[in-house]
Amino acid sequence: MTLVVADELRKGNRLALSRVLSQVEAGSPAGERALDKLFPFTGKAHKIGITGPPGSGKSTLVNAFARAFRALPHHPRVAIIAVDPTSPFSGGAILGDRVRMLDLQQDTGVFIRSMATRGALGGLSNRTEALSQVFDSAGYAYILIETVGAGQSEVDIVNLAHTTIVVDTPGMGDDIQSIKAGILEIADILVINKADRPGADQSVRYLQNMIEMGYRSNIQRAGKHALLDVSGDPQTDLPQGWLPPVIKTVATEFEGVEAVLQAILRHGSFLRESDLWRAKDEKALRDTMRKMILSGLVDTWREQVSTVLIEEHIRAVVERNESPGAAVRALLSYNQNVKPFSSE
Amino acid sequence: MTDQKIRVLIAKPGLDGHDRGAKVIARALRDDGMEVIYTGLRQTPEMIAEAALQEDVNVVGLSILSGAHNALVPQVIKKLHENGQDNVIVFLGGIIPEDDISALVHQGVTKVYGPGTDTREVCKDIREAVITRVEG
C-alpha cells in the first residue's frame, strides 16, 4: 500500500505526496517504509534555509523567493516548509505562515507545508529534514525552509540547508549584537528586509564590517579550523571562499528579491564547484543519523525499563537517598541485563 | 515513535472581513492540543481546497458572516472531493439562519455553530468526529 503511494508521489500525485508527508512527520511505520523507498531519489534539491527574528518578514520573503524561482526560464518546482512553534503547554500550534503566501496558492508548481516544532528546540522540528527528503525525491528543485522566529542560538538550519539566509530589519541591533549573535556566523546571505525604514544603510554597513572581520579571521585559520573550506589560489596565494553578501529588500514590494535570487544561485554554483555541496550533504546525513541513533536508543531503553522502576529511583532521589547520577547509572545498566526483543 | 496530531484548517471564504471568530476558534483548538493552519481572509473555495490538500488536514473549519454560506460551502466541499479528500470533516461557524442548517448538513457539513458557542464544545465535537472518521 505504502509503496504504491510512494510510486504515485514520484509520478507527481500531490495528494499522495501530502499523505506521505504526514506519515513521515508522524514517524509511523508506513512513513519509515516510504522514506526507505524514496531515499535513493534524493540528493538533487537545493535546500535553502530562511531564519531571523520574529516579525522580520521571513514568510513574505519566502513568498517572494518562490515567485522569483518560478519565474526562471525552466520554471522549477518549489517546495516550502514553514515551521512554527508548538505550545509547550497544550502541544497544539497555530501555523500562520500561509497568510503571507496567498499569491502562491493558485500555482500548482509550488507546494507549501506548515509544520509545528513538536517540542524540538533549535528552530526546526525533528522531522523537517525527513520532510525535505520527501520533497527532494518528488522532484522539487528548490526547497525553502522557514524556521521559527530565531533569536541567537536557533541554528539547526545550517546542518540541514545548503544555503542559509539570515533576515534582519533596520535598527535591530548595533555591532555588538552582531558580534555576539551566533546567527550572523551561519549566514551565507544576509538580508536587511523592510529596507524602506530608517537606518537600513547603517545596518548594512555594520553587517558588512562584521562579515569582513569574520572572513579575514576565517582565512587566517584556513586549513585547520576554518568553517569555510577555503582552498589556495595559485595566482595570488590568497584563499578563495564565500563572502556573504548583504542585500537590502522590501519584500512586500518585491524590491531586492531578484538580487537575493541571484545570490542563492551563485552560492549553489560555488558549493558545487568547490565540492562543499557534497561535504554539506554528508554533514547533514551524519547529523540526521546521530539524532536518529539517540532517539532510537531512548525508545529502546524506554521499552525495556518499567515506569515503576523509574518512579522508584525518582522517589529515592527526591528523598535524597540517592544522587541523580547514581539513579541514572542504575537505570541505564538495568537495561544491559535484559535481552532485547525477548517476548517472554 | 508515532506522533499523530489532529490538523485543522481554519479559513474564511468570501468577502467579509471579520475574522475575530475564526481567530478565537483557532486559539481554542490550539489550546486543546491541535495543529491549526490559519489562512486568513478572503479565500476562494479553490484556495481553501488547495491548502487542505497541501496540509493534509483532518478537518476544515469555515467561518462565514456574509450570508453567502449557501453558495460557498457546497463549492468548498465539491473541490475537496474533486481533490480526493472526501474524508475531510467540514465544520461551519458564523451567522447561519436556522432554516439553512439542514440543507448544509445534507451537503456534508458535520456541524454548524452560531454566535456564543462554547469553544470546548467545538473541540469535543472535532475530536469525536476525527475518531469516528478514522475508525469508521
Side-chain angles (χ1 to χ4, degrees):
Chain A
M1 173 63 192
T2 316
L3 302 186
V4 176
V5 173
D7 280 335
E8 284 295 308
L9 172 158
R10 296 258 309 136
K11 280 187 226 150
N13 181 330
R14 297 157 80 244
L15 182 59
L17 168 61
S18 194
R19 297 239 161 108
V20 170
L21 289 170
S22 301
Q23 295 284 1
V24 167
E25 182 177 17
S28 72
E32 295 302 302
R33 281 198 302 278
L35 266 188
D36 292 344
K37 172 148 185 180
L38 294 171
F39 187 72
F41 303 103
T42 64
K44 297 185 192 76
H46 186 169
K47 291 177 285 186
I48 300 143
I50 295 94
T51 190
S56 54
K58 293 183 293 298
S59 301
T60 312
L61 276 167
V62 166
N63 180 66
F65 296 157
R67 277 175 56 191
F69 275 119
R70 293 290 293 154
L72 287 171
H74 55 300
H75 307 301
R77 283 194 288 154
V78 178
I80 296 171
I81 304 175
V83 188
D84 269 326
T86 292
S87 157
F89 302 108
S90 72
I94 291 186
L95 312 173
D97 293 321
R98 294 187 82 95
V99 175
R100 320 258 178 245
M101 302 179 187
L102 293 179
D103 47 350
L104 300 173
Q105 203 72 88
Q106 310 291 3
D107 180 355
T108 53
V110 180
F111 197 110
I112 308 168
R113 186 60 174 241
S114 311
M115 219 181 167
T117 53
R118 298 196 180 176
L121 305 172
L124 299 174
S125 147
N126 288 334
R127 305 301 289 172
T128 306
E129 152 91 32
L131 289 211
S132 78
Q133 286 176 6
V134 177
F135 279 121
D136 190 350
S137 72
Y140 286 80
Y142 296 96
I143 303 173
L144 301 168
I145 301 157
E146 178 187 341
T147 75
V148 304
Q152 298 179 322
S153 58
E154 292 90 344
V155 293
D156 269 7
I157 188 66
V158 252
N159 287 329
L160 170 52
H162 296 106
T163 303
T164 301
I165 302 177
V166 173
V167 183
D168 214 333
T169 51
M172 284 293 280
D174 57 14
D175 43 358
I176 294 302
Q177 289 289 359
S178 305
I179 290 173
K180 70 178 185 188
I183 85 172
L184 187 61
E185 293 160 37
I186 67 172
D188 298 306
I189 299 167
L190 271 146
V191 170
I192 296 292
N193 191 34
K194 309 188 185 183
D196 49 349
R197 292 190 180 175
D201 290 328
Q202 197 182 18
S203 294
V204 168
R205 272 200 305 280
Y206 275 144
L207 290 173
Q208 274 169 343
N209 283 339
M210 290 305 117
I211 286 166
E212 277 159 26
M213 262 161 45
Y215 183 71
R216 277 192 218 107
S217 67
N218 259 343
I219 286 173
Q220 281 157 11
R221 286 180 283 132
K224 284 187 178 163
H225 312 294
L227 288 172
L228 268 171
D229 181 14
V230 280
S231 52
D233 179 339
Q235 289 298 310
T236 58
D237 209 32
L238 274 174
Q240 299 282 303
W242 174 263
L243 186 63
V246 184
I247 302 170
K248 286 191 290 182
T249 59
V250 184
T252 49
E253 305 297 321
F254 223 68
E255 277 172 33
V257 171
E258 184 59 30
V260 181
L261 179 83
Q262 292 307 325
I264 294 170
L265 297 176
R266 262 203 327 277
H267 189 247
S269 307
F270 163 76
L271 292 177
R272 286 196 169 93
E273 284 159 16
S274 61
D275 205 37
L276 273 175
W277 184 278
R278 197 199 48 75
K280 282 206 176 204
D281 186 54
E282 181 174 327
K283 188 165 183 288
L285 293 171
R286 276 176 188 271
D287 188 57
T288 301
M289 287 180 64
R290 188 180 56 82
K291 284 182 182 154
M292 287 169 77
I293 289 170
L294 287 177
S295 73
L297 282 174
V298 170
D299 289 351
T300 310
W301 174 78
R302 225 21 223 96
E303 281 162 19
Q304 292 171 352
V305 179
S306 74
T307 308
V308 176
L309 188 70
I310 295 172
E311 284 302 316
E312 277 173 16
H313 280 286
I314 290 172
R315 282 294 117 226
V317 170
V318 173
E319 301 292 331
R320 299 298 190 275
N321 292 328
E322 194 177 23
S323 77
V328 169
R329 282 194 296 277
L331 284 168
L332 289 179
S333 60
Y334 179 82
N335 161 32
Q336 291 163 3
N337 303 326
V338 180
K339 262 187 281 172
F341 310 117
S342 76
S343 53
E344 282 83 27
Chain B
M1 286 269 280
T2 300
D3 186 10
Q4 286 284 13
K5 294 260 183 195
I6 296 177
R7 285 168 70 89
V8 185
L9 181 78
I10 296 290
K12 275 198 65 68
L15 296 177
D16 80 84
H18 303 280
D19 59 355
R20 186 173 158 77
K23 283 177 175 162
V24 167
I25 287 293
R27 177 66 195 263
L29 300 180
R30 183 200 80 155
D31 290 345
D32 197 56
M34 302 180 202
E35 291 183 355
V36 183
I37 294 104
Y38 186 74
T39 58
L41 296 168
R42 298 188 187 88
Q43 304 280 293
T44 65
E46 288 81 6
M47 289 161 91
I48 292 167
E50 181 61 30
L53 173 81
Q54 293 179 4
E55 300 289 356
D56 191 25
V57 291
N58 313 94
V59 179
V60 171
L62 301 172
S63 166
I64 306 178
L65 300 166
S66 62
H69 46 271
N70 288 332
L72 291 167
V73 174
Q75 286 181 50
V76 172
I77 292 173
K78 182 163 163 271
K79 292 284 167 199
L80 287 170
H81 287 208
E82 279 173 15
N83 288 345
Q85 287 196 298
D86 333 44
N87 57 340
V88 170
I89 298 154
V90 178
F91 284 88
L92 174 62
I95 314 287
I96 314 293
E98 198 70 35
D99 293 349
D100 292 347
I101 290 177
S102 69
L104 290 164
V105 169
H106 184 70
Q107 299 264 7
V109 175
T110 296
K111 201 164 172 185
V112 180
Y113 300 97
T117 302
D118 187 335
T119 56
R120 283 170 299 188
E121 183 193 337
V122 182
C123 296
K124 185 168 155 282
D125 290 346
I126 287 180
R127 287 197 175 277
E128 283 173 8
V130 169
I131 289 166
T132 313
R133 196 62 63 103
V134 170
E135 288 172 354

